[in-house]
Amino acid sequence: DAASASRGLYHLRDCLRVTKLREHWDETNSKVMQRKTQLDAMLSDSQRYERERLEVEAWLTRMETKFDNMHTVGYTADVLEAQLREQKSFHVDLHQYKHKIELFNQLTQKLIAVYQQDDTTRVKKMTEHVNQRYSNLNSNIISRGKLLHSAMNSLHNFDRSLDKFLAWLSEAESSIECFENEAEPAATSTNNSGWRERPSHQLKHGLEPRARKNRKAIEPADDRSLIKSAVGGLGIKSRPVFIYV
């Protein structure tokens, strides 16, 4: 009858609604589980990223401290050689760690690619900061190497100039001694009234042009004490010479 048919239709409609509701539930539940799996993977990757970041930043901090503790560029060959060895060792360590930095960047790119629907701005900024610190360290140690090589070259140039200057001083002393040896016999055989005593340093008028040339070659000015010590070691002093007038 009509009533029975109507009840059957209502029942069928309810069954369809329940079926659709169940399908919707199953679909929603599946998406939720997929998202949960994705979030679990994201958590695992984020934890791995954080471990890697902390390890890299700890290494960078140690290297930055080591670089900051390096002494200023030295002035002697032994100090400069030790500083060059230190600089080369530091640069080697930096270069060897580059592979670790590259792996860290690859991990960052993976996170950005896999989770592009999520906000990865913080990850990008932290990785950029790590790369900048590494780049600064590399630039600083290269610059220090150039300074050390420049200082070593300057020291070698100074040594060569100093050798020439000391050779000139030795030659000047020999010339003065020869002049004195020639003048003294004549002084003893001549009446003292025809002689007067003059210091031998008056010979400087003939030696000054070469002296200026040699002094100009001696650099830097901070090494005057070294030159003074070397000149003193030659025993050059002003001695009286008798010159006939």
Side-chain angles (χ1 to χ4, degrees):
D1 58 0
S4 177
S6 178
R7 285 195 298 272
L9 289 174
Y10 280 119
H11 178 71
L12 180 60
R13 186 177 61 184
D14 291 339
C15 288
L16 290 174
R17 286 178 177 176
V18 170
T19 300
K20 287 183 178 180
L21 183 61
R22 183 172 295 166
E23 289 175 352
H24 182 66
W25 164 258
D26 290 340
E27 182 182 355
T28 302
N29 185 63
S30 176
K31 289 181 178 180
V32 168
M33 295 305 296
Q34 288 177 1
R35 181 58 176 169
K36 180 180 181 302
T37 301
Q38 186 183 43
L39 290 174
D40 288 339
M42 183 186 294
L43 176 61
S44 177
D45 289 338
S46 297
Q47 289 173 340
R48 179 189 171 193
Y49 173 86
E50 189 66 11
R51 287 194 303 270
E52 295 289 336
R53 183 184 68 83
L54 291 175
E55 180 182 339
V56 170
E57 290 199 339
W59 181 86
L60 287 170
T61 299
R62 288 195 301 272
M63 295 298 284
E64 287 166 346
T65 302
K66 185 176 180 180
F67 180 83
D68 291 339
N69 289 335
M70 289 182 178
H71 296 294
T72 55
V73 176
Y75 295 97
T76 59
D78 55 339
V79 172
L80 286 172
E81 287 172 358
Q83 289 180 331
L84 278 169
R85 288 193 298 270
E86 179 187 42
Q87 184 268 341
K88 289 178 181 178
S89 175
F90 188 98
H91 201 190
V92 167
D93 291 342
L94 205 63
H95 182 72
Q96 289 178 344
Y97 204 80
K98 185 178 181 180
H99 180 64
K100 185 74 172 179
I101 299 294
E102 290 173 347
L103 290 177
F104 180 71
N105 281 309
Q106 290 174 10
L107 177 59
T108 301
Q109 293 304 317
K110 174 189 173 183
L111 290 175
I112 294 173
V114 172
Y115 307 111
Q116 53 186 311
Q117 301 300 324
D118 298 285
D119 186 9
T120 56
T121 304
R122 183 170 175 270
V123 171
K124 291 178 183 177
K125 288 183 177 180
M126 289 190 296
T127 300
E128 288 173 359
H129 180 63
V130 166
N131 287 328
Q132 187 62 51
R133 289 176 66 184
Y134 180 85
S135 178
N136 289 342
L137 265 177
N138 192 57
S139 298
N140 290 339
I141 199 62
I142 290 175
S143 297
R144 180 173 174 81
K146 291 179 180 178
L147 287 174
L148 290 171
H149 282 291
S150 177
M152 184 64 81
N153 290 335
S154 296
L155 183 62
H156 289 162
N157 291 335
F158 172 78
D159 288 341
R160 286 192 292 268
S161 298
L162 181 60
D163 288 341
K164 292 179 181 179
F165 183 67
L166 293 179
W168 174 84
L169 287 177
S170 179
E171 181 184 347
E173 184 185 40
S174 298
S175 299
I176 293 172
E177 288 177 350
C178 289
F179 182 83
E180 290 176 346
N181 291 335
E182 292 174 358
E184 285 175 359
T188 58
S189 61
T190 307
N191 192 315
N192 288 337
S193 62
W195 295 81
R196 71 179 179 183
E197 187 176 335
R198 290 184 180 177
S200 62
H201 61 69
Q202 289 186 2
L203 291 173
K204 69 180 181 180
H205 297 295
L207 299 173
E208 271 187 349
R210 289 185 64 188
R212 282 195 299 269
K213 180 179 179 181
N214 282 286
R215 283 198 300 269
K216 187 176 181 181
I218 301 297
E219 292 181 353
D222 292 340
D223 293 297
R224 291 171 185 159
S225 59
L226 177 60
I227 299 171
K228 183 178 179 181
S229 175
V231 172
L234 288 173
I236 296 178
K237 56 183 180 293
S238 177
R239 289 189 288 269
V241 177
F242 293 97
I243 303 174
Y244 184 78
V245 292

